[in-house]
Amino acid sequence: MNNESSDKKKAIGKFATNYMMLLVTFVVMLVFGGVNQTFWNMGNILNIVSNACLFGIVGIGLTLITAAGETDFCAAAEFTLAATLACTLISQLGMKNYFLVMLIVMITMVLVGLLNAVLHVYCRIPSFIATLGTSYMVNGIAKWMTNGLNFMGISRGIGPIYTYIGQGYFLGVIPMPAVVLVVMAAIMLYYTEHTRGGKYIYAGGSNPTACKFLGIDANRQKIKAFILCSVCCGIAGLIQSSMLNGSAQEMGANMLNYGMTVLMIGACFLRLGVFNVPGTIVGSLFIAIIANGMTIMGTSVASKEIVLGSVMLLATTAVTVFKLKNARGN
């Protein structure tokens, strides 16, 4: 009887710990809503959802590359490049085929991810150095293409289809950014949890030495993760460009910070100490709610950065503790 009672307490405690981040997210939302009723306005809720979608899609890409044991400091630059490239193709080169523009952008994102992978896997440059270097290159290319200018009103050159994924509604109700996030999250969740290729990414990141004996090419998993991360960031950049109906040189300036924070918070949900897609989605909602709530309250930019930085440090500390516990088998 005592053993059964103890097992129940452990199960309840584990459940509460695994889902605590979701509860904290709801509590924070209620607090901001109680302080300022404007928080509950439908327009504001949609703004939170839109920002959460951007953070979430970038976070999914970072989840994959981090699961592979590497990092991608080029994420923000990839985000910006996708938007500026699409706008350049339409406004400066006069392309009218929306799907052709999207295809060119996605191919470019694959090439950027492949470049990061080659620099790390074959040139043996640490991933944080390689991707930091390519981030400067990619940002420079984006500025060169646009001559340092911002683009606005892109839909005039290609039609309203350009703004659909950022401003449109599925069935007239659901914001399209949310639809894109749900679809991408579902695909990546299935891929990482239910396919051999997805599980290999985690295996390659957790124990590359063991992978050699199991016949798993860890380097191939890293290459795959770099490419997927770049593509995810590119998709998020296209959505942001669609929201703005244009692009700005600094539009992705804080995206890496947000993405990394979402990533760390995500590892505090469901699979503690493990970077996972559901956790990334919860983390993106949490960060979007905090950023939006502080804006509504009229807090300064400095205060917002202090809070978000503190959240990231706390989440990182928690992830480190969870990883140590997992390593000890507790």
Side-chain angles (χ1 to χ4, degrees):
M1 182 67 70
N2 290 334
N3 289 336
E4 290 182 2
S5 178
S6 177
D7 289 342
K8 286 182 179 179
K9 288 182 179 179
K10 287 182 179 179
I12 293 173
K14 184 177 181 180
F15 179 85
T17 304
N18 288 352
Y19 290 90
M20 179 61 70
M21 197 63 236
L22 186 61
L23 175 61
V24 171
T25 301
F26 281 117
V27 170
V28 170
M29 183 171 63
L30 292 174
V31 169
F32 281 125
V35 172
N36 193 326
Q37 292 299 313
T38 306
F39 182 87
W40 300 113
N41 290 349
M42 183 56 65
N44 188 59
I45 295 297
L46 292 177
N47 185 42
I48 292 174
V49 171
S50 296
N51 287 331
C53 291
L54 296 176
F55 302 156
I57 294 172
V58 172
I60 288 173
L62 291 172
T63 297
L64 295 173
I65 190 62
T66 309
E70 304 301 336
T71 190
D72 187 357
F73 285 167
C74 191
E78 293 159 355
F79 178 92
T80 303
L81 178 64
T84 54
L85 177 57
C87 292
T88 300
L89 292 173
I90 295 168
S91 65
Q92 294 190 354
L93 299 183
M95 285 194 177
K96 303 295 184 181
N97 189 319
Y98 175 79
F99 298 102
L100 178 60
V101 170
M102 297 301 105
L103 177 62
I104 293 173
V105 172
M106 286 297 100
I107 291 174
T108 303
M109 291 301 101
V110 170
L111 292 176
V112 172
L114 187 59
L115 173 61
N116 288 331
V118 168
L119 290 173
H120 171 65
V121 173
Y122 296 107
C123 298
R124 303 297 180 184
I125 302 174
S127 59
F128 72 95
I129 294 295
T131 56
L132 185 61
T134 54
S135 71
Y136 283 107
M137 291 174 54
V138 170
N139 275 325
I141 292 172
K143 291 176 181 177
W144 170 74
M145 286 191 305
T146 62
N147 291 321
L149 301 175
N150 298 332
F151 290 116
M152 298 304 293
I154 295 300
S155 61
R156 291 195 297 266
I158 198 170
I161 189 173
Y162 190 80
T163 58
Y164 182 66
I165 62 169
Q167 302 178 24
Y169 291 86
F170 181 66
L171 300 178
V173 178
I174 307 172
M176 278 305 298
V179 174
V180 176
L181 175 62
V182 169
V183 171
M184 289 187 64
I187 292 173
M188 290 304 176
L189 179 61
Y190 179 81
Y191 178 68
T192 55
E193 300 292 336
H194 301 286
T195 69
R196 184 178 298 177
K199 292 178 180 179
Y200 281 177
I201 290 179
Y202 280 92
S206 61
N207 198 333
T209 302
C211 287
K212 293 180 180 179
F213 296 100
L214 295 173
I216 300 173
D217 189 342
N219 285 337
R220 180 179 296 177
Q221 309 314 313
K222 295 179 188 297
I223 293 172
K224 184 166 55 178
F226 272 115
I227 293 174
L228 289 173
C229 181
S230 181
V231 169
C232 287
C233 293
I235 291 173
L238 289 173
I239 294 175
Q240 175 75 92
S241 179
S242 177
M243 291 177 179
L244 299 174
N245 194 16
S247 67
Q249 290 300 313
E250 304 300 326
M251 61 186 292
N254 295 320
M255 194 52 65
L256 178 61
N257 296 334
Y258 283 121
M260 293 299 293
T261 305
V262 164
L263 176 71
M264 292 301 167
I265 294 173
C268 299
F269 175 77
L270 195 60
R271 297 174 62 186
L272 304 184
V274 179
F275 303 106
N276 61 92
V277 174
T280 297
I281 304 305
V282 172
S284 66
L285 284 171
F286 181 74
I287 291 299
I289 289 170
I290 288 182
N292 180 272
M294 293 186 71
T295 299
I296 287 179
M297 291 173 62
T299 56
S300 65
V301 175
S303 299
K304 186 186 297 185
E305 290 181 351
I306 290 171
V307 170
L308 292 175
S310 300
V311 168
M312 183 177 183
L313 288 174
L314 288 172
T316 304
T317 302
V319 170
T320 302
V321 172
F322 291 142
K323 282 183 174 290
L324 289 173
K325 286 187 176 182
N326 291 338
R328 293 170 182 170
N330 294 331

